[in-house]
DNA sequence: ACCTGAACACCGTTCAAGT
DNA sequence: ACCTGAACACCGTTCAAGT
């Protein structure tokens, strides 16, 4: 019943693309520390060593996975002004990192960046340059934006709190061993704000992103455009 | 020649403090993934299982290590205004995270925070509250500051670039496999700015921290203090 | 050409035993 | 009371072999 003739066993031949896709979706569910070469081979129903024909080693696999993730981030559109374009990029980045939480912390540190990675950086820098930023201001803006974006994503994902009920459970867990009156400011903050109806940490993202963008706009204006 | 009488082998008895100190200094040199229970036991010259009398497991060890790191961060001093105090905290945090790079990414995600952790958060929140911030503004400010601080620290440490020579080597490594003229904006940025004399990525930290503090001050003023 | 199996040097942790 | 040794179920990766 198999249409493929080139494999007696009946599964599709192993390709780099198939390895990459399986690795990413597996990491999406079990995290980076749960992604082992042996486990990935199991998902693909091949012997562990079969993977090594398509990736040099685990690091090379991760390099390639990160480039797929970069490819999912929207590039700044030509029409919009820089602030709108950077806002869209920031929101897209957050969406992508939420889908692939294992990627946070690896995005900025690849010594062997792929093409999607380089294309992304080229496009962002190009957008800021054509808006009139000089190279020093590009460096300031890019460092500020990405520190904020990656830092927020890391915090959000590591807290692993999605619903207000999660938040309540976490807060109870965290403070249970301690007399709360030793930490009155923290207690007030958690009780009156973080655990209040309607508060969701994720809502801070857009607020902070807009503050960072405003700060960049102002710093640029102050530097004598 | 040993002064201690309670151990025939001659080393000091294993204590939680000794385990913690060894774990932190070992992680400082080999990183978190290089810190194995077996390796740590080797450093302390005990059998791996001896550690388990003083820590419940590896996660519990890391929880305790993080609390030691929190204890190294300066608390906001009573006298200074909020902006000065937050600036000092930001600079201290960067120093501490540079000493203990393995701690970045773990600081905000402990489900079992220690006393130094709680005391730190209580002091920061207290400083902002007593400066007049309402709880919503505290949440905005804290999220912005820590996203920036942790995000920058993560980027800086992961790049592992300390000298301009490192930067040149990294840039050459990274772009070697690609035709640079495909990425003209990136090429210009790297050549004319990042690799120019006098540029150091680490200098962006203070600049960005001041922009974030200015943004918080302005947002607070706009919200009608 | 592509995949496999056995082997090596590692992990964290449990359990039963030593002193 | 405190530490150890053997064992279990894992790792990434090398090397020699299968089809």
């Amino acid at each position: 019943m198999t249409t493929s003739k080139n494999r007696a066993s009946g599964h599709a031949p192993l390709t780099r693309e198939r390895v990459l896709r399986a690795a990413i979706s597996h990491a999406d569910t079990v995290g980076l520390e749960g992604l082992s070469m042996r486990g990935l081979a199991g998902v693909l129903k091949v012997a562990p060593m079969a993977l090594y024909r398509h990736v040099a080693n685990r690091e090379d696999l991760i390099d390639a996975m990160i480039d797929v993730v970069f490819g999912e981030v929207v590039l700044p559109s030509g029409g919009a002004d820089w602030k709108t374009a950077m806002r869209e990029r920031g929101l897209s980045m957050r969406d992508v990192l939420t889908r692939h939480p294992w990627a946070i912390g690896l995005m900025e540190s690849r010594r062997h960046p792929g093409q999607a990675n380089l294309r992304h950086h080229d496009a962002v820098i190009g957008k800021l340059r054509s808006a009139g930023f000089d190279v020093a201001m590009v460096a300031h803006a890019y460092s500020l934006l990405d520190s904020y974006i990656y830092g927020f994503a890391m915090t959000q994902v590591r807290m692993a709190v999605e619903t207000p009920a999660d938040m309540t459970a976490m807060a109870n867990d965290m403070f249970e061993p301690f007399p709360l009156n030793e930490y009155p400011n923290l207690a007030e903050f958690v009780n009156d704000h973080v655990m209040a109806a309607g508060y969701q940490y994720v809502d801070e993202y857009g607020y902070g992103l807009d503050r960072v963008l405003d700060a960049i706009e102002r710093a640029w204006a102050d530097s004598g455009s």
Side-chain angles (χ1 to χ4, degrees), chain A:
Chain A
M1 290 293 283
T2 63
T3 52
S4 158
K5 289 187 161 175
N6 54 344
R7 301 280 290 92
S9 53
H11 5 66
L14 209 53
T15 62
R16 187 168 231 258
E17 276 52 52
R18 236 159 66 72
V19 171
L20 276 181
R21 260 204 296 276
I24 289 169
S25 85
H26 200 229
D28 288 348
T29 67
V30 301
L32 196 70
E33 63 292 325
L35 177 77
S36 68
M37 298 301 277
R38 295 168 113 111
L40 177 58
V43 168
L44 287 163
K45 302 194 172 180
V46 294
M49 289 317 299
L51 301 174
Y52 285 79
R53 194 155 302 268
H54 302 98
V55 297
N57 49 40
R58 192 171 184 268
E59 272 306 292
D60 178 52
L61 171 63
I62 291 172
D63 275 337
M65 291 166 69
I66 290 295
D67 214 52
V68 173
V69 174
F70 262 112
E72 293 181 11
V73 182
V74 296
L75 294 179
S77 54
D81 63 298
W82 72 267
K83 219 176 159 183
T84 304
M86 289 305 116
R87 190 169 199 280
E88 281 171 4
R89 184 188 91 103
L91 296 177
S92 171
M93 193 77 103
R94 198 262 312 264
D95 291 344
V96 170
L97 293 176
T98 302
R99 282 203 296 275
H100 308 300
W102 50 269
I104 305 166
L106 303 178
M107 300 285 282
E108 349 91 270
S109 62
R110 296 293 89 189
R111 311 300 279 229
H112 303 287
Q115 301 200 48
N117 186 337
L118 296 173
R119 197 177 306 128
H120 181 87
H121 283 98
D122 189 71
V124 171
I125 294 167
K127 186 76 201 181
L128 294 174
R129 291 288 282 132
S130 69
F133 283 59
D134 59 28
V135 284
M137 196 63 218
V138 168
H140 292 329
Y142 215 160
S143 172
L144 249 167
L145 278 167
D146 276 11
S147 292
Y148 175 73
I149 290 168
Y150 290 121
F152 190 96
M154 182 168 75
T155 303
Q156 190 200 333
V157 151
R158 292 285 166 85
M159 289 200 323
V161 167
E162 298 196 346
T163 66
D166 287 348
M167 188 63 105
T168 305
M170 182 182 80
N172 287 339
D173 263 30
M174 284 173 56
F175 301 132
E176 182 249 307
F178 298 102
L180 255 191
N181 55 354
E182 276 185 37
Y183 310 104
N185 303 298
L186 183 56
E188 180 210 39
F189 181 66
V190 171
N191 287 323
D192 294 4
H193 191 63
V194 175
M195 286 175 37
Y199 185 78
Q200 288 201 277
Y201 183 67
V202 74
D203 295 337
E204 297 287 355
Y205 184 69
Y207 178 89
L209 182 59
D210 285 335
R211 296 295 73 71
V212 169
L213 289 166
D214 287 350
I216 291 167
E217 187 170 42
R218 171 160 296 269
W220 185 29
D222 289 353
S223 75
S225 77

